[in-house]
Amino acid sequence: MVAVLGGMGGKMTSSDKLFQEQAVIDRDGLTSLIAALRQEGYQVIGPKVVDGAITYEPVEDGDQLPVGWVDEQEGGSYRLLHGTDGALFAHTVGPQSWKRYLFPPNQRLWHSKSGEAGFTIVPEPDTTAPYAFLGVRACELKAIALQDKVFGVNGGKSHNGGKVYTDAGYAARRKAAFLIAVNCGRANKTCFCASMGAGPKATAGFDLALTELVGAGRHDFVVEVGSERGASILAALSRRPATPEDRIAADAAVARAAAGMGREMVADVEPLLKRNFEHKRWEEVATRCLGCANCTLVCPTCFCSTVEDTTDLSGSHAERWRRWDSCFTLDFTFIHGGSIRREGSSRYRQWITHKLAHWHDQFGDSGCTGCGRCITWCPVGIDITEEARAIRDSEGTL
């Protein structure tokens, strides 16, 4: 748990005390939390069941959350099952990530109009209410922290001291966002966050963190405070102090998730991939890869985009849009003369080596958080952990 030093003169204030406490709220308390956030002007975004999957959508009360729903995931397979205990966060992660709100898939950057003085460029205002993300898993907190580095929300410096460009729109949305983490009580067969050091318990980067406890006649949430504004919101809720038994139950829930990981990334994967750039496995995986880009679109850290300019038929109005792109498309590396990465093997190699190896060179960390989305939502079930393990196991035998 995060601790904060006392106030002026080393004395502990009531706010400091609240910041250090772990509290317990009940099912109604969660609805009160949503109401308190909305009262503060936040647009609350949380998990909902939409078209047979868990997606992140605006929520107005706790009854709109996935009550009792549990997901089963495997390579190329996803389905929801309805449980009986009424848990709200028994699922893990779905096809969407919070990236969709901080780094929108389609964003108009500016538009222009022609007049007597020529074209006037009008920057696009951001009128979206500040977001409160409810149900952010530990692997997703890590993903948001990684995108903070990508978009320059780290003091304007890279991990090696170089200057980085700050995306003003992302920075504004990120600064205003209120993050409510949920510690996982179960893992799926495609989860491997534990081997990436990214979960299943949220340890930093949140305003509040919840651990859901269901069963034996209770439905409670152990709440941990991670920021001053988190402490302020918690102070407005009906709560009781967490007992040692509450903390033990919360720790046990997280331990079950850690023990239930269905996948594991091989150790030292960064140097492994860097020294196997010409491995025959790249050709083998290319025979299965469809080049559909699903893995990059569901990934919570991928940040590739393209810019498109459009105009109307009169030529008096133009717009510039930024849209998500993928290193799996032929157009992504298209220059005069054609695409640089024409073969599927080179495109898959680019993705996995960038994600697991060269991110360290750029951002000082891996670009993978072990959420498993790329495995689940690959139509043919290509498994990033399996590919890394196959290269490791065949090393020295070629």
Side-chain angles (χ1 to χ4, degrees), residues 347-379:
R347 295 198 294 275
Y348 188 86
R349 180 180 61 191
Q350 158 64 21
W351 177 68
I352 191 173
T353 56
H354 186 210
K355 187 69 58 180
L356 297 176
H358 297 300
W359 265 71
H360 290 271
D361 302 326
Q362 284 185 284
F363 307 113
D365 207 341
S366 174
C368 177
T369 68
C371 71
R373 286 182 174 95
C374 61
I375 304 171
T376 297
W377 297 98
C378 173

Short mmCIF file of all heavy atoms in Angstrom, two decimals, residues 347-379:
data_model
loop_
_atom_site.label_atom_id
_atom_site.label_comp_id
_atom_site.label_asym_id
_atom_site.label_seq_id
_atom_site.Cartn_x
_atom_site.Cartn_y
_atom_site.Cartn_z
N ARG A 347 6.55 -8.81 -41.28
CA ARG A 347 5.62 -7.98 -40.52
C ARG A 347 5.39 -8.56 -39.12
O ARG A 347 5.34 -7.81 -38.14
CB ARG A 347 4.31 -7.82 -41.28
CG ARG A 347 4.47 -7.07 -42.60
CD ARG A 347 3.15 -6.55 -43.12
NE ARG A 347 2.22 -7.60 -43.50
CZ ARG A 347 2.22 -8.19 -44.70
NH1 ARG A 347 3.11 -7.84 -45.63
NH2 ARG A 347 1.32 -9.14 -44.98
N TYR A 348 5.25 -9.89 -39.02
CA TYR A 348 5.08 -10.48 -37.70
C TYR A 348 6.36 -10.29 -36.88
O TYR A 348 6.29 -9.99 -35.69
CB TYR A 348 4.73 -11.96 -37.79
CG TYR A 348 4.37 -12.53 -36.43
CD1 TYR A 348 3.08 -12.44 -35.93
CD2 TYR A 348 5.34 -13.11 -35.62
CE1 TYR A 348 2.75 -12.92 -34.68
CE2 TYR A 348 5.02 -13.60 -34.36
CZ TYR A 348 3.72 -13.49 -33.89
OH TYR A 348 3.41 -13.95 -32.63
N ARG A 349 7.49 -10.49 -37.50
CA ARG A 349 8.77 -10.30 -36.78
C ARG A 349 8.90 -8.87 -36.28
O ARG A 349 9.34 -8.64 -35.16
CB ARG A 349 9.94 -10.64 -37.71
CG ARG A 349 11.31 -10.46 -37.06
CD ARG A 349 12.41 -10.80 -38.03
NE ARG A 349 12.39 -9.94 -39.20
CZ ARG A 349 13.10 -10.14 -40.30
NH1 ARG A 349 13.88 -11.20 -40.39
NH2 ARG A 349 13.04 -9.30 -41.32
N GLN A 350 8.50 -7.91 -37.09
CA GLN A 350 8.56 -6.51 -36.67
C GLN A 350 7.72 -6.30 -35.42
O GLN A 350 8.15 -5.65 -34.47
CB GLN A 350 8.07 -5.60 -37.80
CG GLN A 350 7.59 -4.22 -37.38
CD GLN A 350 8.67 -3.36 -36.79
OE1 GLN A 350 9.85 -3.59 -37.01
NE2 GLN A 350 8.29 -2.34 -36.02
N TRP A 351 6.51 -6.87 -35.43
CA TRP A 351 5.61 -6.65 -34.29
C TRP A 351 6.15 -7.27 -33.01
O TRP A 351 6.27 -6.60 -31.98
CB TRP A 351 4.22 -7.22 -34.60
CG TRP A 351 3.28 -7.10 -33.44
CD1 TRP A 351 2.76 -5.96 -32.92
CD2 TRP A 351 2.76 -8.17 -32.64
NE1 TRP A 351 1.94 -6.24 -31.84
CE2 TRP A 351 1.92 -7.60 -31.65
CE3 TRP A 351 2.91 -9.57 -32.67
CZ2 TRP A 351 1.25 -8.36 -30.70
CZ3 TRP A 351 2.23 -10.32 -31.72
CH2 TRP A 351 1.42 -9.72 -30.76
N ILE A 352 6.50 -8.55 -33.05
CA ILE A 352 6.90 -9.23 -31.83
C ILE A 352 8.26 -8.75 -31.32
O ILE A 352 8.46 -8.61 -30.10
CB ILE A 352 6.89 -10.77 -32.03
CG1 ILE A 352 7.04 -11.48 -30.67
CG2 ILE A 352 7.96 -11.21 -32.99
CD1 ILE A 352 6.88 -13.00 -30.76
N THR A 353 9.20 -8.45 -32.21
CA THR A 353 10.50 -7.98 -31.74
C THR A 353 10.41 -6.55 -31.20
O THR A 353 11.11 -6.20 -30.25
CB THR A 353 11.56 -8.06 -32.84
OG1 THR A 353 11.12 -7.31 -33.99
CG2 THR A 353 11.84 -9.50 -33.24
N HIS A 354 9.55 -5.74 -31.82
CA HIS A 354 9.35 -4.39 -31.27
C HIS A 354 8.69 -4.49 -29.91
O HIS A 354 9.13 -3.86 -28.94
CB HIS A 354 8.51 -3.55 -32.22
CG HIS A 354 8.39 -2.12 -31.80
ND1 HIS A 354 7.29 -1.33 -32.08
CD2 HIS A 354 9.24 -1.32 -31.11
CE1 HIS A 354 7.48 -0.12 -31.59
NE2 HIS A 354 8.64 -0.09 -30.99
N LYS A 355 7.64 -5.29 -29.80
CA LYS A 355 6.88 -5.39 -28.57
C LYS A 355 7.72 -5.91 -27.40
O LYS A 355 7.66 -5.38 -26.28
CB LYS A 355 5.68 -6.32 -28.80
CG LYS A 355 4.68 -6.41 -27.66
CD LYS A 355 3.90 -5.14 -27.47
CE LYS A 355 3.16 -4.73 -28.72
NZ LYS A 355 2.39 -3.48 -28.52
N LEU A 356 8.50 -6.95 -27.65
CA LEU A 356 9.19 -7.63 -26.57
C LEU A 356 10.66 -7.26 -26.42
O LEU A 356 11.26 -7.54 -25.39
CB LEU A 356 9.08 -9.16 -26.76
CG LEU A 356 7.67 -9.74 -26.71
CD1 LEU A 356 7.71 -11.23 -27.02
CD2 LEU A 356 7.02 -9.49 -25.36
N ALA A 357 11.24 -6.64 -27.44
CA ALA A 357 12.67 -6.36 -27.39
C ALA A 357 13.01 -4.88 -27.57
O ALA A 357 13.56 -4.24 -26.68
CB ALA A 357 13.41 -7.19 -28.45
N HIS A 358 12.65 -4.31 -28.72
CA HIS A 358 13.10 -2.95 -29.02
C HIS A 358 12.35 -1.86 -28.27
O HIS A 358 12.79 -0.71 -28.25
CB HIS A 358 13.06 -2.72 -30.53
CG HIS A 358 13.98 -3.62 -31.29
ND1 HIS A 358 15.34 -3.62 -31.08
CD2 HIS A 358 13.74 -4.59 -32.22
CE1 HIS A 358 15.91 -4.52 -31.86
NE2 HIS A 358 14.96 -5.12 -32.55
N TRP A 359 11.21 -2.21 -27.63
CA TRP A 359 10.58 -1.24 -26.72
C TRP A 359 11.55 -0.87 -25.60
O TRP A 359 11.53 0.26 -25.11
CB TRP A 359 9.31 -1.86 -26.12
CG TRP A 359 8.04 -1.51 -26.83
CD1 TRP A 359 7.64 -1.94 -28.05
CD2 TRP A 359 7.00 -0.65 -26.36
NE1 TRP A 359 6.42 -1.42 -28.38
CE2 TRP A 359 5.99 -0.63 -27.35
CE3 TRP A 359 6.80 0.09 -25.21
CZ2 TRP A 359 4.83 0.11 -27.22
CZ3 TRP A 359 5.63 0.82 -25.06
CH2 TRP A 359 4.66 0.83 -26.07
N HIS A 360 12.35 -1.84 -25.17
CA HIS A 360 13.32 -1.56 -24.12
C HIS A 360 14.29 -0.46 -24.56
O HIS A 360 14.68 0.39 -23.77
CB HIS A 360 14.10 -2.84 -23.78
CG HIS A 360 13.29 -3.87 -23.07
ND1 HIS A 360 13.18 -3.92 -21.70
CD2 HIS A 360 12.54 -4.91 -23.55
CE1 HIS A 360 12.39 -4.93 -21.35
NE2 HIS A 360 12.00 -5.55 -22.46
N ASP A 361 14.68 -0.49 -25.84
CA ASP A 361 15.58 0.54 -26.36
C ASP A 361 14.91 1.90 -26.40
O ASP A 361 15.54 2.93 -26.15
CB ASP A 361 16.05 0.15 -27.77
CG ASP A 361 16.76 -1.18 -27.80
OD1 ASP A 361 17.46 -1.50 -26.81
OD2 ASP A 361 16.62 -1.91 -28.79
N GLN A 362 13.62 1.92 -26.76
CA GLN A 362 12.90 3.18 -26.90
C GLN A 362 12.40 3.74 -25.57
O GLN A 362 12.53 4.93 -25.29
CB GLN A 362 11.69 3.00 -27.83
CG GLN A 362 12.01 2.93 -29.30
CD GLN A 362 10.74 2.86 -30.13
OE1 GLN A 362 10.10 1.81 -30.21
NE2 GLN A 362 10.37 3.97 -30.73
N PHE A 363 11.81 2.86 -24.75
CA PHE A 363 11.06 3.33 -23.58
C PHE A 363 11.52 2.73 -22.26
O PHE A 363 10.93 3.00 -21.22
CB PHE A 363 9.57 3.04 -23.77
CG PHE A 363 9.01 3.57 -25.06
CD1 PHE A 363 8.57 2.71 -26.06
CD2 PHE A 363 8.95 4.94 -25.30
CE1 PHE A 363 8.06 3.20 -27.26
CE2 PHE A 363 8.45 5.44 -26.49
CZ PHE A 363 8.01 4.57 -27.48
N GLY A 364 12.56 1.91 -22.30
CA GLY A 364 13.10 1.38 -21.06
C GLY A 364 12.29 0.27 -20.43
O GLY A 364 12.48 -0.05 -19.25
N ASP A 365 11.38 -0.34 -21.18
CA ASP A 365 10.52 -1.39 -20.63
C ASP A 365 9.96 -2.20 -21.79
O ASP A 365 10.03 -1.79 -22.95
CB ASP A 365 9.38 -0.79 -19.81
CG ASP A 365 8.87 -1.71 -18.72
OD1 ASP A 365 9.13 -2.93 -18.82
OD2 ASP A 365 8.21 -1.22 -17.79
N SER A 366 9.36 -3.35 -21.47
CA SER A 366 8.70 -4.15 -22.50
C SER A 366 7.40 -3.49 -22.91
O SER A 366 6.74 -2.81 -22.12
CB SER A 366 8.41 -5.56 -21.94
OG SER A 366 7.64 -6.31 -22.86
N GLY A 367 7.01 -3.71 -24.16
CA GLY A 367 5.74 -3.19 -24.64
C GLY A 367 4.59 -4.14 -24.43
O GLY A 367 3.48 -3.88 -24.86
N CYS A 368 4.85 -5.26 -23.75
CA CYS A 368 3.82 -6.26 -23.48
C CYS A 368 3.54 -6.31 -21.99
O CYS A 368 4.47 -6.31 -21.18
CB CYS A 368 4.28 -7.64 -23.98
SG CYS A 368 3.12 -8.98 -23.62
N THR A 369 2.26 -6.37 -21.62
CA THR A 369 1.88 -6.44 -20.21
C THR A 369 1.25 -7.78 -19.84
O THR A 369 0.82 -7.96 -18.70
CB THR A 369 0.89 -5.31 -19.85
OG1 THR A 369 -0.35 -5.52 -20.52
CG2 THR A 369 1.46 -3.95 -20.23
N GLY A 370 1.17 -8.71 -20.79
CA GLY A 370 0.66 -10.04 -20.48
C GLY A 370 -0.84 -10.13 -20.36
O GLY A 370 -1.36 -11.05 -19.73
N CYS A 371 -1.57 -9.22 -21.01
CA CYS A 371 -3.04 -9.25 -20.91
C CYS A 371 -3.64 -10.41 -21.70
O CYS A 371 -4.76 -10.84 -21.42
CB CYS A 371 -3.64 -7.94 -21.38
SG CYS A 371 -3.54 -7.64 -23.16
N GLY A 372 -2.92 -10.92 -22.71
CA GLY A 372 -3.37 -12.07 -23.49
C GLY A 372 -4.35 -11.77 -24.60
O GLY A 372 -4.81 -12.69 -25.29
N ARG A 373 -4.69 -10.49 -24.81
CA ARG A 373 -5.67 -10.17 -25.84
C ARG A 373 -5.24 -10.63 -27.23
O ARG A 373 -6.06 -11.11 -28.02
CB ARG A 373 -5.93 -8.65 -25.87
CG ARG A 373 -6.77 -8.10 -24.72
CD ARG A 373 -6.97 -6.61 -24.92
NE ARG A 373 -7.87 -6.01 -23.94
CZ ARG A 373 -7.48 -5.42 -22.82
NH1 ARG A 373 -6.18 -5.39 -22.52
NH2 ARG A 373 -8.35 -4.88 -22.00
N CYS A 374 -3.95 -10.47 -27.54
CA CYS A 374 -3.49 -10.82 -28.88
C CYS A 374 -3.64 -12.30 -29.16
O CYS A 374 -3.81 -12.72 -30.31
CB CYS A 374 -2.04 -10.38 -29.08
SG CYS A 374 -0.86 -11.16 -27.94
N ILE A 375 -3.62 -13.13 -28.10
CA ILE A 375 -3.80 -14.57 -28.27
C ILE A 375 -5.28 -14.90 -28.48
O ILE A 375 -5.65 -15.64 -29.39
CB ILE A 375 -3.26 -15.33 -27.03
CG1 ILE A 375 -1.79 -14.96 -26.77
CG2 ILE A 375 -3.41 -16.83 -27.21
CD1 ILE A 375 -1.25 -15.50 -25.45
N THR A 376 -6.12 -14.34 -27.62
CA THR A 376 -7.55 -14.61 -27.68
C THR A 376 -8.16 -14.17 -29.00
O THR A 376 -8.95 -14.89 -29.61
CB THR A 376 -8.28 -13.90 -26.53
OG1 THR A 376 -7.82 -14.43 -25.28
CG2 THR A 376 -9.78 -14.07 -26.64
N TRP A 377 -7.80 -12.97 -29.46
CA TRP A 377 -8.48 -12.38 -30.60
C TRP A 377 -7.77 -12.60 -31.93
O TRP A 377 -8.16 -12.04 -32.95
CB TRP A 377 -8.74 -10.90 -30.34
CG TRP A 377 -9.64 -10.74 -29.15
CD1 TRP A 377 -9.28 -10.48 -27.86
CD2 TRP A 377 -11.06 -10.91 -29.14
NE1 TRP A 377 -10.38 -10.46 -27.04
CE2 TRP A 377 -11.49 -10.72 -27.80
CE3 TRP A 377 -12.02 -11.19 -30.12
CZ2 TRP A 377 -12.84 -10.81 -27.43
CZ3 TRP A 377 -13.35 -11.28 -29.75
CH2 TRP A 377 -13.75 -11.09 -28.42
N CYS A 378 -6.74 -13.44 -31.93
CA CYS A 378 -6.15 -13.88 -33.19
C CYS A 378 -7.05 -14.96 -33.78
O CYS A 378 -7.31 -15.97 -33.13
CB CYS A 378 -4.74 -14.44 -32.97
SG CYS A 378 -4.02 -15.19 -34.45
N PRO A 379 -7.56 -14.78 -35.00
CA PRO A 379 -8.50 -15.77 -35.57
C PRO A 379 -7.93 -17.17 -35.66
O PRO A 379 -8.68 -18.15 -35.62
CB PRO A 379 -8.81 -15.21 -36.96
CG PRO A 379 -8.51 -13.75 -36.87
CD PRO A 379 -7.36 -13.64 -35.90
#
